[in-house]
Amino acid sequence: MSRRITSATILVSLACSVTMVLAGCVPILGADPRFATYSGAKPQGVATTTPPPSGPPPIAAPKNDLSWRDCTSQVYGNAAIPAAPGIKLECASFDSDLDPLNGGSGSITIGVVRARSGQTPRDAGPLVFTTGSDLPSSTQLPVWLSHAGSDILRSHPIVAVDRRGMGMSTPIDCRDHFQRDEMRDQSQFQTGDDPVANLSAISNEATTSCTDVIAPADSAYDNGHAASDLERLRNLWDVPALALVGIGNGAQVALTYAGSRPDKVARLILDSPVALGVSAEAKAEQQVKGQQAALDAFAAQCVAINCALGPDPKGAVSALLSTARSLRGSGTSVASIANAITATLGFPTADRIGTTTTLANALAAARGGDMNQLSNLINRADGLQDTDGQFVNSCSDAVNRPTPDRVRELVVAWAKLYPQFGTIAALNLVKCVHWPTGSSPQLPKDLKVDVLLMGVQDDPIVGVDGVAQTAATVINANAASKRVMWQGIGHGASIYSSCTVPPLVGYLTDGKLPGTDTYCPA
């Protein structure tokens, strides 16, 4: 036996010496036979395993779908814009548990709208779109499609999900006409010298009315419950993960979903985000900074096109607001005018020059005593951003609200820092001071996908600070991000800038972020 082993060793050693020059060889006497392997050998009785695919989950098509009906003309009509050619809009709804987070019973109906074009693959998974409480997703979807959003339909359908009590979801009707008017006017025309006290009394009445209407679910309208509605949709579709794009408050909803269900996210696009957990005061100051920046950009554009407000557009706006503020009996409140300016710039219906011209003409006519054009803008702003559903949802999301005394301090301080919008921004904080306090949102700890961040340089709805704050949150959750910034005026870079869409489409395709940050011109 010993002799045969020696002979075999000699033969292998000779073979090794012949081939070593060509390929190299480890001397056999140096090898430990316990670890000798043969790459082609497979242990008997052991199943072959395939390593899991790298990268984020695919965007899967629903295995079970909703009952869709054509609603193209209805949705475009609600948004008051012409229908985009070749795009079909379909509406559906689903029931979601009313309060699954707190074990409550009952259900609530959530409205959704799906957009497809003739180029949309029939087996493509959807991109889920939410604008949260900023305005109904079903209202902003057709606006997106009238710009560059239709390019996304070449690869994916878009499904817009309305927040509870808003848009095509079951609406909330809980404030009476007097309460709505007083809150819109910030109690400007009531007697007395303490607008905080006057507005606090009205907001207390409105809070009582609304919590009575939605009882016992007065804690079921925050970001966490909006995220649970997305999870209900995912379960109905029976897909492993969702591709999400959230704008403004919708970005909070999407990030809340991703933080609580990291394995259920295929893509995560956060456009014009408000940072999770930011206090009500900080959020309001970020917005008022955005309002002032948007007004400055509007004024510069106004001068460039020789608009109706003359050589000093910002001064003309200040004069109009000052006149409205001095009214004591009745008329158009300063808050209504400011909200109209904010909504017109934040949700433009034309290009930058067209929007500038429309707003300048309305403000100039109002200074001359003709309120018709400005009244139309005020009514549009109220319809977009002052429904009862928005009041309930936005107050449910407001955390660390300031006291009335703190608001009084902010009225003085912000009036100096932000001359056109500061006082109004401070008083807006009173609207939610009586709303039941909810739980603070939990920041994500371990995101499973990289995040595409977007923002707008002059965003009068949420400002721009939330982009950097959300980037920090993403880093702390062990994920990477890249930014796509639009240097324009509006709310939602992906909505109004065609330059932002190619990075978005590329990210949807393979889940890989752009190599660098992107800056899109106005």
Side-chain angles (χ1 to χ4, degrees):
M1 178 69 70
S2 174
R3 191 166 160 181
R4 286 198 297 272
I5 293 175
T6 303
S7 300
T9 303
I10 293 170
L11 289 173
V12 173
S13 299
L14 288 172
C16 184
S17 63
V18 171
T19 58
M20 190 177 296
V21 176
L22 298 176
C25 186
V26 177
I28 194 165
L29 294 177
D32 189 336
R34 292 176 299 169
F35 303 118
T37 61
Y38 171 52
S39 61
K42 296 183 176 66
Q44 292 184 357
V46 178
T48 302
T49 59
T50 302
S54 60
I59 306 174
K63 296 179 182 177
N64 308 306
D65 215 341
L66 306 178
S67 298
W68 299 100
R69 60 176 178 82
D70 185 276
C71 57
T72 304
S73 59
Q74 175 190 355
V75 175
Y76 276 107
N78 291 344
I81 62 173
I87 295 177
K88 182 179 182 180
L89 301 181
E90 299 167 296
C91 294
S93 63
F94 63 91
D95 290 336
S96 186
D97 291 337
L98 181 59
D99 196 7
L101 303 183
N102 298 309
S105 60
S107 63
I108 191 169
T109 299
I110 305 299
V112 292
V113 179
R114 180 175 68 182
R116 289 180 175 272
S117 73
Q119 296 177 302
T120 308
R122 302 305 298 179
D123 60 348
L127 172 63
V128 176
F129 169 69
T130 173
T131 51
S133 61
D134 295 337
L135 80 169
S137 306
S138 58
T139 299
Q140 194 68 330
L141 174 61
V143 177
W144 193 15
L145 298 173
S146 69
H147 292 76
S150 59
D151 291 346
I152 296 169
L153 300 181
R154 296 173 185 171
S155 54
H156 297 277
I158 302 173
V159 175
V161 182
D162 281 334
R163 265 193 83 156
R164 299 179 170 206
M166 292 175 52
M168 297 205 170
S169 297
T170 302
I172 296 175
D173 183 3
C174 59
R175 294 181 295 175
D176 61 31
H177 183 74
F178 174 76
Q179 290 166 351
R180 291 190 191 99
D181 284 349
E182 286 298 306
M183 292 177 78
R184 288 169 182 169
D185 293 339
Q186 297 187 332
S187 299
Q188 177 179 330
F189 305 117
Q190 286 195 29
T191 58
D193 297 324
D194 189 351
V196 172
N198 290 339
L199 186 53
S200 178
I202 293 297
S203 67
N204 189 30
E205 293 177 10
T207 296
T208 301
S209 297
C210 290
T211 51
D212 285 348
V213 166
I214 65 176
D218 53 15
S219 62
Y221 288 83
D222 58 11
N223 284 324
H225 288 81
S228 71
D229 295 335
L230 298 181
E231 176 65 2
R232 172 61 175 162
L233 179 60
R234 187 193 68 81
N235 283 322
L236 287 171
W237 277 342
D238 192 14
V239 295
L242 296 177
L244 298 171
V245 54
I247 299 179
N249 172 255
Q252 281 190 322
V253 173
L255 189 54
T256 298
Y257 181 89
S260 58
R261 303 166 180 88
D263 295 322
K264 302 296 191 297
V265 181
R267 307 288 187 274
L268 187 57
I269 303 158
L270 306 177
D271 189 345
S272 306
V274 179
L276 273 181
V278 67
S279 71
E281 179 181 327
K283 177 184 175 182
E285 187 163 19
Q286 288 173 14
Q287 181 192 14
V288 75
K289 289 178 180 178
Q291 288 173 307
Q292 295 289 155
L295 179 63
D296 288 342
F298 160 76
Q301 182 70 52
C302 221
V303 171
I305 64 173
N306 193 26
C307 75
L309 290 175
D312 183 14
K314 191 172 179 180
V317 171
S318 296
L320 179 62
L321 293 174
S322 179
T323 299
R325 190 175 287 112
S326 67
L327 297 176
R328 289 297 180 185
S330 62
T332 303
S333 67
V334 63
S336 291
I337 297 173
N339 292 341
I341 295 171
T342 298
T344 302
L345 296 177
F347 306 110
T349 57
D351 61 17
R352 185 163 182 170
I353 293 177
T355 299
T356 300
T357 301
T358 297
L359 181 57
N361 289 345
L363 296 173
R367 291 195 69 196
D370 179 3
M371 291 295 298
N372 288 332
Q373 296 178 61
L374 185 55
S375 293
N376 290 335
L377 298 182
I378 290 172
N379 291 336
R380 177 175 180 263
D382 290 342
L384 285 176
Q385 290 209 286
D386 194 31
T387 65
D388 290 357
Q390 283 165 302
F391 169 61
V392 170
N393 280 290
S394 60
C395 286
S396 297
D397 287 338
V399 296
N400 298 322
R401 302 165 201 148
T403 64
D405 283 342
R406 175 57 179 164
V407 173
R408 291 183 178 94
E409 294 174 358
L410 294 175
V411 166
V412 176
W414 286 2
K416 298 174 182 177
L417 290 173
Y418 316 110
Q420 287 75 32
F421 298 101
T423 299
I424 300 154
L427 288 175
N428 275 337
L429 288 165
V430 180
K431 295 179 181 180
C432 296
V433 295
H434 299 289
W435 194 263
T437 301
S439 57
S440 297
Q442 297 297 313
L443 296 180
K445 296 180 180 179
D446 190 21
L447 294 174
K448 302 297 185 183
V449 296
D450 292 335
V451 181
L452 186 64
L453 288 173
M454 295 186 168
V456 183
Q457 178 175 287
D458 301 315
D459 185 338
I461 305 302
V462 300
V464 74
D465 292 349
V467 178
Q469 294 170 349
T470 303
T473 298
V474 171
I475 292 173
N476 291 334
N478 303 311
S481 67
K482 282 291 186 292
R483 305 183 194 189
V484 179
M485 303 297 296
W486 177 45
Q487 297 168 321
I489 310 173
H491 179 56
S494 60
I495 299 294
Y496 298 107
S497 171
S498 59
C499 165
T500 66
V501 174
L504 190 156
V505 172
Y507 172 69
L508 288 177
T509 300
D510 55 18
K512 296 180 180 178
L513 295 173
T516 61
D517 291 344
T518 304
Y519 293 88
C520 295

Short mmCIF file of all heavy atoms in Angstrom, two decimals, residues 5 15 39 103 108 110 139 142 154 185 249 255 323 349 368 394 406 417 432 434 444 451 466 470-471 488 518 520:
data_model
loop_
_atom_site.label_atom_id
_atom_site.label_comp_id
_atom_site.label_asym_id
_atom_site.label_seq_id
_atom_site.Cartn_x
_atom_site.Cartn_y
_atom_site.Cartn_z
N ILE A 5 1.00 4.40 -2.99
CA ILE A 5 0.83 5.83 -2.69
C ILE A 5 2.03 6.62 -3.17
O ILE A 5 1.91 7.67 -3.79
CB ILE A 5 0.64 6.05 -1.18
CG1 ILE A 5 -0.69 5.44 -0.74
CG2 ILE A 5 0.72 7.52 -0.82
CD1 ILE A 5 -0.92 5.49 0.75
N ALA A 15 3.42 15.41 -13.21
CA ALA A 15 2.44 16.17 -14.01
C ALA A 15 2.45 17.63 -13.61
O ALA A 15 2.36 18.53 -14.44
CB ALA A 15 1.05 15.56 -13.81
N SER A 39 -13.85 21.81 -8.08
CA SER A 39 -14.88 22.80 -8.35
C SER A 39 -16.10 22.22 -9.04
O SER A 39 -17.20 22.75 -8.93
CB SER A 39 -14.30 23.95 -9.20
OG SER A 39 -13.84 23.43 -10.44
N GLY A 103 -56.02 49.39 16.56
CA GLY A 103 -56.95 48.29 16.79
C GLY A 103 -58.41 48.67 16.65
O GLY A 103 -59.29 47.91 17.08
N ILE A 108 -62.74 52.52 5.71
CA ILE A 108 -62.84 53.81 5.03
C ILE A 108 -62.52 53.59 3.56
O ILE A 108 -61.72 52.71 3.21
CB ILE A 108 -61.87 54.84 5.68
CG1 ILE A 108 -62.15 56.25 5.16
CG2 ILE A 108 -60.41 54.44 5.47
CD1 ILE A 108 -61.42 57.31 5.96
N ILE A 110 -60.94 54.57 -0.01
CA ILE A 110 -59.84 55.33 -0.58
C ILE A 110 -60.01 55.36 -2.10
O ILE A 110 -60.20 54.32 -2.74
CB ILE A 110 -58.48 54.68 -0.24
CG1 ILE A 110 -58.35 54.52 1.28
CG2 ILE A 110 -57.34 55.51 -0.80
CD1 ILE A 110 -58.40 55.81 2.07
N THR A 139 -56.06 65.31 -8.31
CA THR A 139 -56.08 66.63 -8.93
C THR A 139 -54.74 66.97 -9.56
O THR A 139 -54.67 67.59 -10.62
CB THR A 139 -56.45 67.72 -7.89
OG1 THR A 139 -57.76 67.44 -7.38
CG2 THR A 139 -56.44 69.11 -8.50
N PRO A 142 -53.39 64.79 -13.37
CA PRO A 142 -53.54 65.30 -14.73
C PRO A 142 -52.64 66.49 -15.04
O PRO A 142 -52.25 66.68 -16.19
CB PRO A 142 -55.02 65.67 -14.83
CG PRO A 142 -55.50 65.77 -13.44
CD PRO A 142 -54.67 64.84 -12.63
N ARG A 154 -44.63 55.52 -20.78
CA ARG A 154 -44.03 54.64 -21.78
C ARG A 154 -43.53 53.34 -21.14
O ARG A 154 -43.37 52.33 -21.84
CB ARG A 154 -42.86 55.34 -22.46
CG ARG A 154 -43.27 56.56 -23.28
CD ARG A 154 -42.06 57.31 -23.79
NE ARG A 154 -42.43 58.54 -24.48
CZ ARG A 154 -41.58 59.46 -24.87
NH1 ARG A 154 -40.27 59.30 -24.65
NH2 ARG A 154 -41.99 60.56 -25.48
N ASP A 185 -60.04 83.69 6.69
CA ASP A 185 -59.74 85.12 6.88
C ASP A 185 -58.91 85.38 8.14
O ASP A 185 -58.57 86.52 8.43
CB ASP A 185 -61.04 85.92 6.98
CG ASP A 185 -61.82 85.94 5.69
OD1 ASP A 185 -61.22 85.69 4.63
OD2 ASP A 185 -63.06 86.18 5.73
N ASN A 249 -46.16 66.73 1.34
CA ASN A 249 -46.62 65.85 2.41
C ASN A 249 -46.68 64.40 1.94
O ASN A 249 -46.49 63.48 2.73
CB ASN A 249 -48.00 66.30 2.91
CG ASN A 249 -48.61 65.30 3.88
OD1 ASN A 249 -49.53 64.57 3.51
ND2 ASN A 249 -48.10 65.26 5.10
N LEU A 255 -42.21 58.07 2.87
CA LEU A 255 -41.09 57.75 3.74
C LEU A 255 -41.56 57.02 5.00
O LEU A 255 -40.87 56.13 5.51
CB LEU A 255 -40.31 59.01 4.11
CG LEU A 255 -39.00 58.82 4.85
CD1 LEU A 255 -38.06 57.88 4.09
CD2 LEU A 255 -38.31 60.16 5.08
N THR A 323 -53.08 97.33 2.40
CA THR A 323 -54.45 97.87 2.28
C THR A 323 -55.46 96.86 2.79
O THR A 323 -56.40 97.20 3.53
CB THR A 323 -54.75 98.21 0.82
OG1 THR A 323 -53.83 99.21 0.37
CG2 THR A 323 -56.17 98.72 0.66
N THR A 349 -50.69 77.11 -13.62
CA THR A 349 -51.48 76.52 -14.71
C THR A 349 -50.89 76.84 -16.08
O THR A 349 -51.44 76.41 -17.09
CB THR A 349 -52.93 77.05 -14.66
OG1 THR A 349 -52.92 78.48 -14.74
CG2 THR A 349 -53.61 76.63 -13.36
N GLY A 368 -56.55 98.50 -8.46
CA GLY A 368 -57.41 99.51 -9.07
C GLY A 368 -58.87 99.37 -8.71
O GLY A 368 -59.71 100.12 -9.22
N SER A 394 -53.94 67.60 7.86
CA SER A 394 -52.77 68.42 8.18
C SER A 394 -52.63 68.63 9.69
O SER A 394 -51.51 68.62 10.23
CB SER A 394 -52.84 69.77 7.45
OG SER A 394 -54.01 70.48 7.83
N ARG A 406 -46.87 81.44 22.28
CA ARG A 406 -45.73 81.35 21.36
C ARG A 406 -46.10 81.91 19.99
O ARG A 406 -45.29 82.59 19.35
CB ARG A 406 -45.27 79.89 21.24
CG ARG A 406 -44.17 79.66 20.20
CD ARG A 406 -42.93 80.50 20.48
NE ARG A 406 -41.89 80.24 19.49
CZ ARG A 406 -40.84 81.03 19.30
NH1 ARG A 406 -40.70 82.15 20.03
NH2 ARG A 406 -39.93 80.72 18.39
N LEU A 417 -39.17 89.51 9.92
CA LEU A 417 -38.30 88.68 9.09
C LEU A 417 -38.87 88.44 7.70
O LEU A 417 -38.13 88.39 6.71
CB LEU A 417 -38.07 87.33 9.79
CG LEU A 417 -37.20 87.33 11.04
CD1 LEU A 417 -37.22 85.96 11.70
CD2 LEU A 417 -35.77 87.73 10.70
N CYS A 432 -54.45 74.56 14.30
CA CYS A 432 -54.33 73.18 14.78
C CYS A 432 -54.02 73.07 16.27
O CYS A 432 -53.77 71.95 16.76
CB CYS A 432 -53.25 72.44 13.99
SG CYS A 432 -53.61 72.23 12.22
N HIS A 434 -55.76 73.09 18.87
CA HIS A 434 -56.69 72.32 19.70
C HIS A 434 -56.88 70.89 19.21
O HIS A 434 -57.62 70.13 19.83
CB HIS A 434 -58.05 73.03 19.74
CG HIS A 434 -58.00 74.41 20.32
ND1 HIS A 434 -57.80 74.65 21.66
CD2 HIS A 434 -58.10 75.63 19.73
CE1 HIS A 434 -57.79 75.95 21.88
NE2 HIS A 434 -57.97 76.58 20.74
N PRO A 444 -37.15 56.36 9.79
CA PRO A 444 -36.71 55.04 9.30
C PRO A 444 -35.33 54.71 9.83
O PRO A 444 -34.46 55.57 9.95
CB PRO A 444 -36.70 55.22 7.78
CG PRO A 444 -36.58 56.69 7.55
CD PRO A 444 -37.30 57.33 8.69
N VAL A 451 -32.54 56.22 -2.48
CA VAL A 451 -33.63 57.17 -2.61
C VAL A 451 -33.28 58.27 -3.59
O VAL A 451 -32.19 58.86 -3.52
CB VAL A 451 -33.98 57.79 -1.23
CG1 VAL A 451 -35.14 58.76 -1.36
CG2 VAL A 451 -34.30 56.69 -0.22
N GLY A 466 -36.43 71.02 3.45
CA GLY A 466 -36.73 69.62 3.71
C GLY A 466 -35.90 68.66 2.89
O GLY A 466 -35.75 67.49 3.27
N THR A 470 -34.13 65.63 4.74
CA THR A 470 -34.51 64.26 4.38
C THR A 470 -33.29 63.47 3.91
O THR A 470 -33.18 62.27 4.17
CB THR A 470 -35.60 64.29 3.29
OG1 THR A 470 -36.72 65.03 3.76
CG2 THR A 470 -36.05 62.88 2.92
N ALA A 471 -32.35 64.13 3.24
CA ALA A 471 -31.11 63.46 2.85
C ALA A 471 -30.37 62.94 4.08
O ALA A 471 -29.83 61.82 4.07
CB ALA A 471 -30.23 64.41 2.04
N GLY A 488 -36.63 76.56 -10.32
CA GLY A 488 -37.81 77.28 -10.77
C GLY A 488 -38.73 77.65 -9.62
O GLY A 488 -38.33 77.66 -8.45
N THR A 518 -28.30 66.39 -10.03
CA THR A 518 -28.74 67.05 -11.26
C THR A 518 -29.37 68.39 -10.91
O THR A 518 -30.17 68.48 -9.97
CB THR A 518 -29.77 66.18 -12.01
OG1 THR A 518 -29.21 64.90 -12.27
CG2 THR A 518 -30.20 66.82 -13.31
N CYS A 520 -31.57 71.42 -12.70
CA CYS A 520 -32.36 71.76 -13.88
C CYS A 520 -32.66 73.25 -13.88
O CYS A 520 -33.08 73.81 -12.86
CB CYS A 520 -33.67 70.97 -13.88
SG CYS A 520 -33.44 69.18 -14.04
#
